[in-house]
Amino acid sequence: MILLDITYEGKDEVTTTLWGRGETFEDTKFLPYMYVIPEKTEKPNMIINGRKIVKIEELVMKDLNKEVNVWKIYFKNPSDLNLFRHELKEFGERREMDLPFARRYMIDKKLIPLGDVILPEIKAGKKEYPPRVLAFDIETIASKGIAIGKDPIIMASLWSENLKMVIGWGKGEGKHFIRVKDEKELIEKFVEVVDKFKPDIIVGYNSDSFDWPYFKERAKLHKVKFRINSHKVSALRRGRENVIKLKGLINIDLYLFIKNILAPYMKSETLKLDDVSKELVGQGKVSIGGAEGINDAWENNPKLLYEYSLQDAKVTYLLAMEVLPMIYTLASTVGQTLFDVSRMTSGQMVEWTLIKEAHKQKMLVPNRPKYEDSFGRRSVRFEGAFVKDPIKGLHSPIAVCDFRSLYPTIIMAHNISADTINCNHPECKKNISSTGTHFCTRQTGFIPETLKKLFDRRMKLKKKARELKKGTLEQKIVDTEQKGLKLILNSFYGYLGYANARWYTLDSARAVTAWGREYITQIMKEASMKNFTVVYGDTDSVMLTSQSESFKDDVINFTKEINKSLPSPIELEVEGFFIRGVFVTKKRYALLSEDNQLVVKGLEKVRRDWSKLARNTQGKVLRLILNNKVEDAKEYIREVIKKLKSKEIPISELIMKTQLTKPLNEYKQMAPHVKVAKDMKNRGEDIFPGMLIEYIVTPGGRSISERSIAVNLAKDYDSSYYIQNQVLPSVMRIFEALGGTKAELEETQKGLTSFF
DNA sequence: TCCATCCGGGG
DNA sequence: GTGTACGGATGGA
């Protein structure tokens, strides 16, 4: 069997179900268990609600760097464990009582998703296996504000290798269009098509929070059963949001994975499907003109809506083809199901990798912190990375040098771990960080040891990927695997300081950044001695410039020399060369690459509560500046200000949008959007949570709230508000870096100010 | 500065 | 679900 997913159930005896393609296997032999490090000699023997402990084994296990005697206590099913864990508190320290049962099963049986499971004794194997993937998306009537289930679903589109389909009612048309009578039939048809296709994996974009719950709500309204593969579509509360679990096929929400894992490595400023798919698959959505466009197309241009809907499913599918291989490789490293791994944050991936490794080494897993502890940990602040104040302004050319995986290599080079911290061996005191913490050098710690296994595996794969022919499938697979490992490697440091981590060690996290600061400042010092100007540096990278004719060679030689003195495996690399850069403050800069691409960090505002005008002006100004047209940029802003004063800018560019998140009477503070919503209600309009309030700031009144009114009522706007609170703030930080002042931008024309 | 509130993705 | 998991920005007081 090729393993896709694991579920379990059982009122008395637990049955674990392993799901493969079109087949299942039920295991009734595996029992839930937990550990107690006993403080008493007498073993527990109680009966609760008629339930008993199945058996208790005595074992010796590792607990950090100690050996301890433990009782391994078995139960008939997971809820028994939950029942007994409270009573077992008085017998000693309890461990591993909160590992979800299916995850425990994956670890103990050493299973790998998509690996082949050899039945019936259940051993993990591995086999090539291309799963059947189906992408889907829905369209709904788009009234004001997005609220789950509020308006009818008008189309549902599906895309896979041999399936392209748009199901719709109303006036829809198109090659792959399947007409149904109404929304109820649409829902039934969708279920029928999915069940017939039998995908192993069904993917959507933000589908856990939108498409699936939307289907559920509308199905409820029409009193139709919404079942996929004959099983309930269940919404499970997980943390802050619901996730959607299907049985017999894996539901993956690509948005969650991209947000949790890929986002920091992406260029895209937003994680909208359009932007993300443009970056990762090279094509975006059909442009339809937002909510109004959807409604308009539904009434007047059904062909366009059909194309829009189908393209959404198509790019979702193509995105899945790009992203799923990464999820597969992460899942095999982490050792958990695709369903779980695709929804994990990087900290959780590190944790489950460590739990798997601990189990292999017969090592007890530390408990999760209690709420108060993790709350307390969250408020602990410690010194992070070194970030150099940039030399503000424009610089050209720029070289970026950075350490390859600085934090992971520091953890390995200095053996940073919870079980090596502050040992009593005299010789280890030499391995001390500037925070005063030292780490054992006699034997490798659990964290660096696990890290090294992943690191070495990645180095091997990287080497193999370089040797293989580029563009081949094998090369792509190997390269994806090494990138997946990189993601996990890079998360280890964050994990040490992550408030909810089982292996949280504040002094380890502090030592990592302290050593990081030492290495990066040392590089900066040496770069200055070699006649480079250090324009900027952050954490593990430095940006250099010089007016030398042989700039590039100088930089390459510099890194070569530096690397002779760095302890292995720490290494400095040349990341790239740039034509020009503008540096504003720490974390805020923009670079122009040699192939004319903009790299913008920390500058762009893309949130909807800023006006279109502010966003567009900033983007335009940045491009002008990086093309060395500073005066043009200033002139451009003066022009915008002038147009605001003379009211030539249309109101449509000045709309600010803020969502109402709760009923009006629950607001304590009269924010602008709350005031506008109250006015709307007084005029008899329907106001509900989830509604997007669109407003304009007008002249008059005192506070911004008092001056805010609904867009459709706005005939005038407050030019000075838009100048002072929107346009100028969005561009000023860039201009301040160039030595500019607010005053010079506010001049309408040289010498002529007050006449306008 | 503190506190409340919002953002994200989706139509 | 062997439950109960964001992190950062903004704006008013």
Side-chain angles (χ1 to χ4, degrees), chain A residues 176-193:
Chain A
H176 305 290
F177 189 79
I178 302 286
R179 186 181 314 282
V180 288
K181 191 170 88 229
D182 53 18
E183 187 189 23
K184 181 166 173 272
E185 264 190 15
L186 183 151
I187 296 170
E188 288 163 342
K189 186 76 191 171
F190 176 82
V191 170
E192 182 194 316
V193 172

Side-chain angles (χ1 to χ4, degrees), chain A residues 589-604:
Chain A
Y589 60 92
L591 300 170
L592 185 67
S593 73
E594 292 185 325
D595 54 352
N596 227 26
Q597 300 286 310
L598 278 187
V599 178
V600 185
K601 296 284 177 204
L603 284 171
E604 272 180 340

Side-chain angles (χ1 to χ4, degrees), chain A residues 598-658:
Chain A
L598 278 187
V599 178
V600 185
K601 296 284 177 204
L603 284 171
E604 272 180 340
K605 287 252 168 299
V606 284
R607 290 166 48 137
R608 67 186 177 198
D609 52 358
W610 279 72
S611 67
K612 210 188 267 177
L613 179 74
R615 299 199 303 257
N616 293 348
T617 308
Q618 193 191 52
K620 175 94 186 187
V621 160
L622 211 47
R623 273 164 197 84
L624 285 169
I625 288 174
L626 279 173
N627 283 300
N628 222 4
K629 293 175 181 163
V630 177
E631 284 311 313
D632 290 5
K634 288 182 185 169
E635 198 45 47
Y636 181 78
I637 295 163
R638 292 193 195 106
E639 199 62 28
V640 170
I641 292 176
K642 194 173 133 199
K643 283 184 180 166
L644 272 171
K645 285 187 176 166
S646 62
K647 314 270 167 150
E648 283 172 71
I649 304 275
I651 285 179
S652 62
E653 290 198 24
L654 304 177
I655 301 168
M656 290 170 290
K657 305 175 186 187
T658 312

Side-chain angles (χ1 to χ4, degrees), chain A residues 62-90:
Chain A
K62 274 188 275 182
D63 187 24
L64 290 182
N65 47 7
K66 295 193 302 275
E67 295 222 313
V68 290
N69 294 311
V70 295
W71 294 336
K72 185 174 180 185
I73 306 174
Y74 293 85
F75 304 89
K76 264 193 165 178
N77 67 35
S79 53
D80 279 5
L81 189 155
N82 197 25
L83 192 66
F84 278 84
R85 59 193 261 199
H86 306 288
E87 306 296 326
L88 289 170
K89 197 174 178 179
E90 55 186 272

Side-chain angles (χ1 to χ4, degrees), chain A residues 21-229:
Chain A
R21 177 188 287 172
E23 58 184 336
T24 56
F25 174 77
E26 292 188 344
D27 183 354
T28 54
K29 293 206 178 70
F30 186 76
L31 296 181
Y33 63 86
M34 62 179 276
Y35 299 104
V36 169
I37 306 170
E39 283 156 13
K40 292 185 172 180
T41 46
E42 195 188 327
K43 286 185 190 145
N45 192 24
M46 69 279 255
I47 296 173
I48 308 174
N49 296 345
R51 312 288 303 175
K52 290 189 292 194
I53 289 168
V54 174
K55 63 172 172 179
I56 301 177
E57 289 172 358
E58 291 183 56
L59 302 168
V60 179
M61 291 181 79
K62 274 188 275 182
D63 187 24
L64 290 182
N65 47 7
K66 295 193 302 275
E67 295 222 313
V68 290
N69 294 311
V70 295
W71 294 336
K72 185 174 180 185
I73 306 174
Y74 293 85
F75 304 89
K76 264 193 165 178
N77 67 35
S79 53
D80 279 5
L81 189 155
N82 197 25
L83 192 66
F84 278 84
R85 59 193 261 199
H86 306 288
E87 306 296 326
L88 289 170
K89 197 174 178 179
E90 55 186 272
F91 288 85
E93 190 181 332
R94 299 161 303 162
R95 292 292 182 89
E96 305 192 19
M97 65 226 186
D98 58 354
L99 304 190
F101 183 68
R103 293 195 181 182
R104 159 62 81 204
Y105 193 95
M106 290 291 293
I107 288 170
D108 285 40
K109 300 289 182 184
K110 299 183 172 60
L111 299 182
I112 295 168
L114 304 186
D116 52 344
V117 177
I118 301 144
L119 299 172
E121 66 270 32
I122 309 179
K123 278 193 230 150
K126 205 177 179 180
K127 201 177 186 178
E128 283 295 309
Y129 176 72
R132 280 162 74 84
V133 179
L134 175 63
F136 84 106
D137 180 54
I138 63 168
E139 311 303 330
T140 73
I141 298 275
S143 69
K144 252 189 198 169
I146 298 185
I148 299 299
K150 183 165 163 285
D151 303 301
I153 300 170
I154 50 184
M155 281 183 188
S157 46
L158 300 121
W159 190 284
S160 185
E161 202 156 328
N162 296 311
L163 177 67
K164 285 113 187 77
M165 187 186 287
V166 176
I167 306 163
W169 50 283
K171 299 178 224 165
E173 61 176 86
K175 189 176 162 206
H176 305 290
F177 189 79
I178 302 286
R179 186 181 314 282
V180 288
K181 191 170 88 229
D182 53 18
E183 187 189 23
K184 181 166 173 272
E185 264 190 15
L186 183 151
I187 296 170
E188 288 163 342
K189 186 76 191 171
F190 176 82
V191 170
E192 182 194 316
V193 172
V194 172
D195 282 353
K196 197 171 155 213
F197 187 81
K198 296 194 189 308
D200 298 316
I201 300 177
I202 187 159
V203 296
Y205 200 79
N206 202 26
S207 48
D208 273 6
S209 318
F210 186 73
D211 306 67
W212 289 117
Y214 215 108
F215 263 134
K216 280 174 64 113
E217 280 296 312
R218 297 302 295 184
K220 209 197 300 175
L221 191 85
H222 292 294
K223 298 189 170 58
V224 281
K225 281 231 163 78
F226 188 60
R227 289 169 157 259
I228 300 284
N229 191 30

